[in-house]
Amino acid sequence: MARHPEPVTELELRFGSPDETRGFARRLGELLKGGEVLALRGDLGAGKTTFVQGLADGLGIGRDQIASPTFVLAVQHRGKRLGLNHVDLYRLDEEEAIELGLEELMTGPGSEAAVTALEWAERAEDLLPLERIEVNLSWLGQEVRQMTISAFGVELEELLGRIAAEGRD
Ligand code: ADP
Ligand code: MG
């Protein structure tokens, strides 16, 4: 019988290489159903874009397409299964994020056909939906990053529980 994982609200992991970070994010991407919002936080070089590359992989989108969208602000990728909205809010404030149509992108019509990943989510803190995945990345060494991932919302807690259970197997 399928095991039902206990809900998990927070998971802390350490990655020893960019591929380890991408590997975790790929698995997460595979489990997403569409409509999810991921708020990514961490200093420049912490690995937010690298994480999104793995996520894209898991969604069936070529990871080579994923570059830092700092100059484009938002890029919409089409995937075989789900799309990916990759947004970088570094240069924006909340008002500009509203003008960009961020809320529509995250939760408007059609949003369930894609996943939205926001780099520098803190720039639009008040616009973030209550149900979301929070990913905090920090630099520990040249190739080492610490990640804290939190789930808000019952379904996302279950999803995180599933990933945590896999990690323990
Ligand atoms: P951000 O988007 O947070 O500014 P990037 O993902 O663009 O960060 O850059 C992270 C840099 O750190 C990349 O050059 C990546 O290859 C490198 N790196 C080294 N180790 C890791 C790791 N474990 N996880 C993610 N990136 C790593
Ligand atoms: Mg980046």
Side-chain angles (χ1 to χ4, degrees), residues 48-49 68-70 86 88 119-120:
K48 300 180 294 297
T49 300
S68 179
T70 297
H86 184 194
D88 192 319
E119 298 193 36
W120 299 99

Side-chain angles (χ1 to χ4, degrees), residues 89-154:
L89 297 168
Y90 186 60
R91 282 156 208 279
L92 296 189
D93 60 25
E94 198 172 291
E95 211 159 294
E96 290 166 323
I98 291 173
E99 279 166 27
L100 182 75
L102 183 63
E103 290 160 298
E104 283 277 311
L105 204 61
M106 293 189 294
T107 52
S111 61
E112 61 287 337
V115 169
T116 302
L118 308 167
E119 298 193 36
W120 299 99
E122 58 267 44
R123 298 279 197 269
E125 197 69 60
D126 294 337
L127 302 181
L128 302 177
L130 290 176
E131 298 213 351
R132 62 181 191 262
I133 295 174
E134 284 279 339
V135 178
N136 271 274
L137 288 159
S138 53
W139 196 96
L140 283 189
Q142 201 64 30
E143 294 252 291
V144 189
R145 301 293 186 272
Q146 178 91 11
M147 179 196 64
T148 306
I149 182 165
S150 322
F152 295 86
V154 177

